[in-house]
């Protein structure tokens, strides 16, 4: 039982809240029952260590059973140790230290991708995580995150994906141009989602393979990136709102694609 | 020029971060250029006082012009005073103290409402605000917030509506049963949005007037509330995600309704 919140091991886990420490260690943190269950269910081989508060794990036997089945190293900790490991106001008694799950670009796109999302210059962790979740909801083939975006292993991104981080291939650290080349090479049309577009979402052909390209939450897509896309698509607004936020726009675009593709399949 | 962050007047504005103070004073706070511009553009008569950091207002002449046009009382303040008024990490130099804008239920529904959203037991301010924004994007007729939900004048709700709070009628503090009666009386079908529904969103008739009923972000709709609705609708998930968050679900449901209603109009 780990009881010292100031132990080196505890500090090392907490340090994973910083990008530099994550990159040095090649590890990141998933916390709380939902995220921990998803990583154990979908990618158990990537869990290096699981830290549990026995009071919490008692109530979540499903999680401990999964960890046992997959020979994950489980360490019991006091609530104070768990709280010292994570940078959240409400520690939830379960912390998994995980290995990265991102894949090379060519593996993510596979033989014939149908629906993909490209994130460029996305900085807000909550928005980035929700877009990954939206891609998962839509059954997208992959999420491609450009090198100028927030780190997908940022604890706030991980939390807001609610497990989707482990459900579909994620690519990171690749330039937008390289992502675009690969998408085109795989037969994907590039659809920029941007409020300046003149083409409307309901008038857009989403029956054939395509990638949705989403930009920064505050200022949208860079003009050069937008111009490199095949079409610039706007989500029509029916009321007085000036815009949608990134997560709403991504949800609507990806979901529209999924529904049309499934209906016509 | 107000320069004392400890002045009574400054403390009184800061106190509006608490629900009890808002209800006692009959005032709430809108902060930042986007929210302040929207309240001045749509409901200027509800602005009691506008506090501005001259360095910020210089760059936002449009906002000062609007305030002048509508005879709003403008007070110049030091950045420290603005920071002391709001409970945000990044004060943005503009704070409007506003009068409530909610309306009686019968006024909100008008003669023949087409599309309405009912929020019940919604507790998370960010989710509630985004649902109000989604209703605005969809051109909904009104947002009806049950008495067991978060206060729509909570600063975090106000911020996440990004101005939509002033774009469409909002009702608050009314019980779910009363809201349902009024909706039915106005010819609206009640569609519960809930993951337990067997009817799927794409199979749902959204051509005739209806209200979307959304529940708590964690546990959904109470069974009794769900049973009181005419249909229980689920948003189909195509990937491995277990659920959508409230804001995503509301965005998809409301937007689907808007698109179908406009197309068929």
């Amino acid at each position: 039982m780990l009881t010292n919140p100031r132990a080196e091991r505890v500090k090392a886990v907490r340090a994973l809240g910083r990008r530099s420490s994550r990159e040095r260690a090649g590890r990141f943190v998933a916390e709380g029952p939902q995220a921990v269950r998803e990583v154990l269910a979908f990618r158990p081989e990537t869990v290096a260590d699981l830290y549990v508060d026995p009071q919490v794990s008692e109530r979540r036997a499903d999680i401990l059973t999964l960890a046992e089945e997959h020979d994950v190293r489980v360490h019991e900790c006091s609530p104070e140790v768990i709280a010292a490991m994570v940078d959240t106001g409400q520690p939830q008694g379960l912390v998994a230290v995980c290995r990265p799950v991102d894949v090379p670009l060519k593996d993510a796109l596979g033989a014939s991708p149908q629906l993909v999302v490209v994130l460029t210059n996305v900085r807000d962790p909550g928005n980035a995580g929700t877009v990954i979740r939206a891609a998962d909801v839509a059954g997208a083939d992959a999420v491609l995150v450009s090198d100028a975006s927030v780190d997908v292993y940022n604890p706030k991104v991980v939390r807001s994906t609610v497990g989707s981080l482990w459900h579909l291939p994620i690519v990171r650290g690749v330039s937008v141009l390289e992502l675009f080349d690969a998408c085109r090479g795989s037969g994907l049309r590039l659809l920029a989602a941007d409020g300046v577009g003149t083409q409307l979402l309901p008038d857009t052909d989403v029956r054939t393979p395509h990638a949705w390209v989403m930009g920064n939450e505050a200022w949208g897509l860079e003009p050069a990136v937008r111009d490199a896309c095949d079409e610039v698509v706007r989500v029509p607004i029916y009321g007085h709102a000036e815009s949608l936020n990134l997560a709403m726009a991504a949800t609507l675009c990806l979901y529209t694609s999924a529904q049309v593709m499934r209906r016509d399949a």
Side-chain angles (χ1 to χ4, degrees), chain A residues 16 23-24 35 37 42 53 55 64 73 89 98-99 115 127 140 149 163 188 199 214 220 230 245 248 258 260:
Chain A
L16 298 176
E23 305 208 328
R24 208 165 34 237
R37 192 195 54 214
F42 281 79
D53 169 353
Q55 295 214 323
L64 270 283
R73 280 184 302 198
C98 306
R99 296 186 190 90
L115 178 60
N127 262 313
S149 292
L188 295 163
Q199 181 176 315
M214 318 291 308
D230 298 304
N245 69 27
M248 294 164 89
V260 170

Coordinates of all heavy atoms in Angstrom, one line a residue, chain A residues 16 23-24 35 37 42 53 55 64 73 89 98-99 115 127 140 149 163 188 199 214 220 230 245 248 258 260:
Chain A
L16 N 3.7 13.8 -15.1 CA 3.1 13.5 -16.4 C 2.0 14.4 -16.9 O 1.5 14.4 -18.0 CB 2.6 12.0 -16.5 CG 3.7 10.9 -16.2 CD1 3.1 9.6 -16.2 CD2 4.8 11.0 -17.3
E23 N 6.9 13.4 -22.7 CA 7.7 13.0 -23.9 C 8.9 12.3 -23.4 O 9.4 11.3 -24.0 CB 7.9 14.2 -24.7 CG 6.6 14.8 -25.1 CD 6.5 15.5 -26.4 OE1 7.5 16.1 -26.8 OE2 5.4 15.5 -27.0
R24 N 9.5 12.8 -22.3 CA 10.7 12.1 -21.8 C 10.4 10.7 -21.3 O 11.1 9.8 -21.6 CB 11.3 12.9 -20.6 CG 12.8 12.8 -20.4 CD 13.3 13.9 -19.5 NE 12.4 14.3 -18.5 CZ 12.0 15.6 -18.3 NH1 12.4 16.5 -19.1 NH2 11.2 15.9 -17.3
A35 N -12.3 6.3 -18.0 CA -11.1 6.3 -18.8 C -10.4 5.0 -18.5 O -9.9 4.3 -19.5 CB -10.3 7.5 -18.6
R37 N -11.4 2.1 -17.3 CA -12.1 0.9 -17.9 C -11.9 0.8 -19.4 O -11.6 -0.3 -19.9 CB -13.6 1.0 -17.5 CG -14.3 -0.3 -17.8 CD -15.8 -0.2 -17.9 NE -16.1 0.9 -18.8 CZ -17.1 1.7 -18.7 NH1 -17.9 1.6 -17.6 NH2 -17.4 2.7 -19.6
F42 N -9.9 -1.8 -24.2 CA -9.6 -1.7 -25.6 C -8.1 -1.9 -25.8 O -7.7 -2.4 -26.8 CB -10.1 -0.4 -26.2 CG -11.5 -0.4 -26.5 CD1 -12.5 -0.3 -25.5 CD2 -12.0 -0.6 -27.8 CE1 -13.8 -0.3 -25.8 CE2 -13.3 -0.7 -28.1 CZ -14.3 -0.5 -27.1
D53 N -7.2 3.2 -5.3 CA -7.7 3.4 -3.9 C -8.6 2.2 -3.7 O -9.7 2.1 -4.3 CB -8.4 4.8 -3.9 CG -9.2 5.0 -2.5 OD1 -9.2 4.0 -1.7 OD2 -9.7 6.1 -2.3
Q55 N -10.8 1.6 -1.6 CA -12.3 1.9 -1.4 C -13.0 2.1 -2.7 O -14.2 1.8 -2.8 CB -12.3 3.2 -0.6 CG -11.8 3.1 0.8 CD -12.5 3.9 1.8 OE1 -13.0 5.0 1.4 NE2 -12.8 3.4 3.0
L64 N -11.0 -4.1 -11.8 CA -10.0 -4.9 -11.3 C -9.9 -6.3 -12.0 O -8.8 -6.8 -12.2 CB -10.2 -5.1 -9.8 CG -9.5 -4.1 -8.9 CD1 -8.0 -4.4 -8.8 CD2 -9.7 -2.6 -9.4
R73 N 0.0 -4.5 -13.7 CA 0.5 -4.3 -12.4 C -0.4 -3.3 -11.6 O -0.5 -2.2 -12.0 CB 1.9 -3.7 -12.4 CG 3.0 -4.7 -12.7 CD 4.4 -4.1 -12.6 NE 4.5 -3.0 -13.6 CZ 5.6 -2.4 -14.0 NH1 6.8 -2.9 -13.5 NH2 5.6 -1.4 -14.9
G89 N -9.6 18.6 -9.5 CA -10.2 18.9 -8.2 C -10.9 17.7 -7.6 O -10.9 17.6 -6.3
C98 N -0.1 5.1 -18.8 CA -0.2 4.4 -20.0 C 0.9 4.7 -21.0 O 1.5 5.8 -21.0 CB -1.6 4.9 -20.7 SG -3.0 4.7 -19.6
R99 N 1.1 3.8 -21.9 CA 2.0 4.1 -23.1 C 1.2 4.7 -24.2 O 0.0 4.4 -24.3 CB 2.6 2.8 -23.6 CG 3.5 2.1 -22.5 CD 4.2 0.8 -23.1 NE 4.8 0.1 -22.0 CZ 4.2 -0.8 -21.3 NH1 2.9 -1.2 -21.6 NH2 4.8 -1.4 -20.2
L115 N -14.0 7.9 -43.6 CA -14.3 9.1 -42.9 C -13.2 9.4 -41.9 O -12.9 8.5 -41.1 CB -15.7 8.9 -42.2 CG -16.2 10.1 -41.3 CD1 -16.3 11.4 -42.1 CD2 -17.5 9.8 -40.6
N127 N -12.0 21.0 -26.2 CA -12.5 20.9 -27.6 C -11.9 19.8 -28.3 O -12.6 19.0 -29.0 CB -12.2 22.2 -28.3 CG -13.4 23.2 -28.3 OD1 -14.5 22.8 -28.6 ND2 -13.2 24.4 -28.0
A140 N -15.8 7.2 -37.2 CA -14.7 7.6 -38.1 C -13.6 6.6 -38.1 O -13.4 5.8 -37.1 CB -14.2 9.0 -37.8
S149 N -1.0 21.3 -32.9 CA -2.2 21.2 -32.0 C -1.8 20.8 -30.6 O -0.7 20.4 -30.3 CB -3.2 20.2 -32.6 OG -3.7 20.7 -33.8
G163 N -12.7 8.0 -23.0 CA -12.4 6.6 -23.5 C -12.2 6.5 -25.0 O -11.6 5.6 -25.5
L188 N -9.2 10.3 -50.1 CA -10.1 11.2 -49.3 C -10.2 12.6 -49.9 O -9.2 13.2 -50.1 CB -9.7 11.2 -47.9 CG -9.7 9.9 -47.1 CD1 -8.8 10.1 -45.8 CD2 -11.1 9.5 -46.7
Q199 N -20.3 27.1 -49.4 CA -21.1 25.9 -49.6 C -21.6 25.4 -48.3 O -20.9 25.4 -47.2 CB -20.1 24.8 -50.1 CG -20.7 23.5 -50.4 CD -19.7 22.5 -51.1 OE1 -19.0 22.9 -52.0 NE2 -19.6 21.3 -50.6
M214 N -10.7 20.6 -39.4 CA -11.1 21.5 -38.4 C -10.0 22.4 -37.9 O -8.9 21.9 -37.7 CB -11.7 20.8 -37.2 CG -12.6 19.6 -37.5 SD -14.2 19.9 -38.2 CE -14.9 21.2 -37.2
G220 N -10.4 29.8 -36.4 CA -10.7 28.9 -37.5 C -9.5 28.4 -38.3 O -8.4 28.2 -37.6
D230 N -10.4 20.8 -50.7 CA -11.1 20.7 -52.0 C -12.4 21.5 -51.9 O -12.9 22.1 -52.9 CB -11.5 19.2 -52.2 CG -10.2 18.4 -52.4 OD1 -9.4 18.8 -53.3 OD2 -10.0 17.4 -51.7
N245 N -19.3 26.4 -31.6 CA -18.0 26.1 -31.1 C -17.4 24.9 -31.9 O -18.1 24.2 -32.6 CB -17.8 26.0 -29.6 CG -18.5 24.8 -29.1 OD1 -18.6 23.8 -29.8 ND2 -19.0 24.8 -27.8
M248 N -19.1 21.5 -31.4 CA -20.4 21.5 -32.0 C -20.3 21.3 -33.5 O -21.0 20.5 -34.1 CB -21.2 22.7 -31.7 CG -21.6 23.0 -30.3 SD -22.1 24.7 -30.0 CE -23.9 24.6 -30.3
A258 N -21.6 10.4 -41.2 CA -21.9 9.1 -40.8 C -23.3 8.7 -41.2 O -23.5 7.6 -41.7 CB -21.7 9.0 -39.3
V260 N -25.3 9.8 -43.6 CA -25.5 9.7 -45.0 C -24.8 8.4 -45.5 O -25.4 7.7 -46.3 CB -25.0 11.0 -45.7 CG1 -25.0 10.7 -47.2 CG2 -25.9 12.2 -45.4

